[in-house]
Amino acid sequence: MSNQLVMRGPVGPLPLIPNQKKFNPINGYVGTIDSFVETARPVLPVYFLNPDQVAANARRFLTLFPGTPPYAVKCNPDPVVLKTMAKAGVQAFDAASIEEIRAVRKYAPKARILFMNPVKSREAIREAYYTHGVRAYSLDCVDELYKLLQETGLAPDLEVFVRIAIPKANATTLDLTGKFGIPAEDAPELLRQCRPVSAKLGLCFHVGSQCMKPERYAQAIRLAAQVIKASGVKVDALDVGGGFPVEYPNMTPPALDTYLENITHRNRLGDLALICEPGRAMVGNSGAVVARVEQRKGNMLYLNDGTYGNLFDAGPCGNLIYPTRLIRPGGEIAANQQTYGFAGPTCDSIDMMKGPFTLPVDVREGDWIVIEQLGPYCLSMGTRFNGFGQTQMVVMASEKEKAKAAR
Ligand SMILES: Cc1ncc(COP(=O)(O)O)c(C=O)c1O
């Protein structure tokens, strides 16, 4: 008896794992995440996108921000997101690459585009300027200015944003210091070099993503003001970047108003045009992933999605903790909860997410887990590493579409 294998789990025929070519998005789904899982019993991860939520977030920024808030495409470049933003009134987009610029032109043809990657290829600059009408560019060194001038034929209508570095001591939850930004002491000279060849001149920075401390903006703006003063040249615009946070189980950020107060009321901006580039806060609560549990080993759940898939920011780079809940169609679920870590499907050991993620004590193979707050940096970060990474996309019906379907 002791040598006998005890088989647990489902018996009977199993569905085939879908092939990428047959994987079309499902648009205007009128049900809920739970009803989808109940009927589809998905073998692969499913991404649920809620366009109503995207539109609501966009309108909130458009209403509250006292300037222009171009949406940072990198955060979630899905066509539905871009189209929804444009429809909600977003008239400007911050792009990091020519691919993102092409996507904006396709889904929001009339939008203003800011090319805010401080290092760009010559080909990308040319196509951005001549094909897509992009006039605003960021840079953080004089060689990039020369590149911009050469590739645009000394264009007379450039809007140049000098990106200043944020001191390491002011880093936030997801640190963006170290890669881009000219040190404040060198920035005045670069501003002076840019001024004669810029139709409009701006300063920009990024305090880091998921910034939990509103005063970081006030500090960065004070630094920007010192740089402008030291430069002795006229600066037309200030771009305070992204970084506006969303709520996670272990992080409840101050209200957006407090951030805006730190940006405006606590600084004398004079007649500087104000810009911000929100990514995370524009899409935070508009996406969720459903992953399946393939194995449980103690407090570690092995899922069919992970760091190389839709859960990049839960992995070692971000260590974000997401809200989670269990779906077990037709089955009882224990009331008591405990915390777990997740492991993704690939064979790499960085494909692990320490959480802790809170779920019922009886999670088992074959259960589905809904992971929320995955609007940002999810779809855009996934890879096909180890042959995984396929995701079924489900675009939820808007309230309007639901009402129509109910008639
Ligand atoms: C230049 C730039 N702008 C905007 C953003 C968006 O930042 P967030 O998603 O934190 O709002 C980023 C993110 O990396 C960025 O690099």
Side-chain angles (χ1 to χ4, degrees):
M1 194 58 185
S2 59
N3 281 339
Q4 222 171 322
L5 220 53
V6 181
M7 302 292 282
R8 292 194 204 90
V11 283
L14 290 171
L16 284 179
I17 296 180
N19 177 305
Q20 174 82 51
K21 290 195 192 88
K22 297 178 191 154
F23 237 50
N24 293 325
I26 296 168
N27 287 308
Y29 181 68
V30 289
T32 60
I33 292 179
D34 294 61
S35 70
F36 183 90
V37 172
E38 215 155 292
T39 44
R41 311 266 168 152
V43 175
L44 294 174
V46 187
Y47 186 86
F48 293 87
L49 178 66
N50 182 340
D52 271 358
Q53 204 55 61
V54 172
N57 295 344
R59 282 195 288 266
R60 184 172 75 119
F61 257 95
L62 290 168
T63 309
L64 296 179
F65 189 75
T68 313
Y71 167 60
V73 177
K74 60 178 76 69
C75 191
N76 187 335
D78 187 83
V80 175
V81 171
L82 299 182
K83 281 190 259 185
T84 307
M85 292 273 177
K87 209 166 155 205
V90 175
Q91 291 170 353
F93 291 79
D94 150 33
S97 65
I98 201 65
E99 260 313 301
E100 288 189 356
I101 291 172
R102 290 174 189 158
V104 174
R105 271 290 161 264
K106 185 165 175 193
Y107 300 111
K110 294 189 187 134
R112 177 180 173 217
I113 301 174
L114 296 84
F115 199 169
M116 301 304 269
N117 187 335
V119 178
K120 301 159 283 299
S121 77
R122 289 178 180 273
E123 293 81 359
I125 293 171
R126 261 189 206 211
E127 184 179 328
Y129 185 85
Y130 289 107
T131 308
H132 305 292
V134 177
R135 296 295 176 261
Y137 299 81
S138 73
L139 50 82
D140 61 3
C141 65
V142 74
D143 286 340
E144 187 75 9
L145 176 65
Y146 296 148
K147 196 199 279 178
L148 182 60
L149 295 173
Q150 281 163 356
E151 295 313 319
T152 58
L154 280 175
D157 51 1
L158 291 173
E159 298 170 33
V160 176
F161 286 83
V162 170
R163 177 149 165 183
I164 52 168
I166 296 297
K168 188 86 188 155
N170 288 359
T172 52
T173 310
L174 295 164
D175 182 3
L176 287 177
T177 63
K179 182 169 186 183
F180 290 130
I182 184 164
E185 59 273 24
D186 301 327
E189 176 58 20
L190 185 54
L191 276 178
R192 283 192 288 272
Q193 289 163 319
C194 291
R195 181 68 272 184
V197 288
S198 306
K200 284 193 181 142
L201 182 60
L203 219 61
C204 65
F205 56 77
H206 197 303
V207 295
S209 203
Q210 185 64 15
C211 174
M212 294 294 288
K213 295 184 174 158
E215 62 274 17
R216 291 291 182 240
Y217 289 87
Q219 288 163 352
I221 292 170
R222 275 197 289 279
L223 191 65
Q226 286 164 14
V227 167
I228 294 172
K229 195 166 173 211
S231 77
V233 296
K234 183 176 179 327
V235 171
D236 309 295
L238 180 68
D239 180 340
V240 299
F244 302 96
V246 298
E247 186 155 350
Y248 294 103
N250 61 335
M251 282 188 254
T252 303
L256 181 59
D257 275 352
T258 316
Y259 287 81
L260 301 182
E261 214 167 273
N262 271 271
I263 290 168
T264 53
H265 301 166
R266 290 176 56 186
N267 290 283
R268 265 186 262 123
L269 292 166
D271 56 359
L272 283 178
L274 195 60
I275 299 169
C276 70
E277 300 163 10
R280 186 180 300 278
M282 290 280 254
V283 289
N285 49 1
S286 65
V289 165
V290 166
R292 193 173 70 170
V293 180
E294 305 297 14
Q295 193 55 274
R296 173 174 178 172
K297 293 187 202 166
N299 298 340
M300 182 63 76
L301 303 177
Y302 289 70
L303 308 181
N304 63 354
D305 205 349
T307 311
Y308 288 100
N310 292 307
L311 305 175
F312 178 82
D313 265 349
C317 279
N319 287 317
L320 290 186
I321 301 172
Y322 291 97
T324 41
R325 66 184 178 85
L326 196 76
I327 301 183
R328 183 181 294 155
E332 293 284 307
I333 296 176
N336 290 346
Q337 305 224 315
Q338 66 163 79
T339 57
Y340 296 90
F342 292 161
T346 74
C347 296
D348 191 334
S349 30
I350 71 156
D351 193 4
M352 297 183 83
M353 297 141 275
K354 65 181 176 137
F357 305 101
T358 302
L359 286 158
V361 290
D362 63 342
V363 178
R364 58 184 188 233
E365 186 211 337
D367 286 338
W368 282 274
I369 294 173
V370 187
I371 307 164
E372 278 158 348
Q373 294 292 61
L374 276 169
Y377 304 109
C378 172
L379 292 176
S380 51
M381 307 297 282
T383 73
R384 298 303 310 273
F385 185 48
N386 276 204
F388 295 103
Q390 267 182 287
T391 299
Q392 169 71 65
M393 178 83 176
V394 178
V395 181
M396 309 297 268
S398 65
E399 287 307 319
K400 247 191 200 162
E401 286 170 322
K402 280 188 202 159
K404 213 168 149 193
R407 263 187 251 137

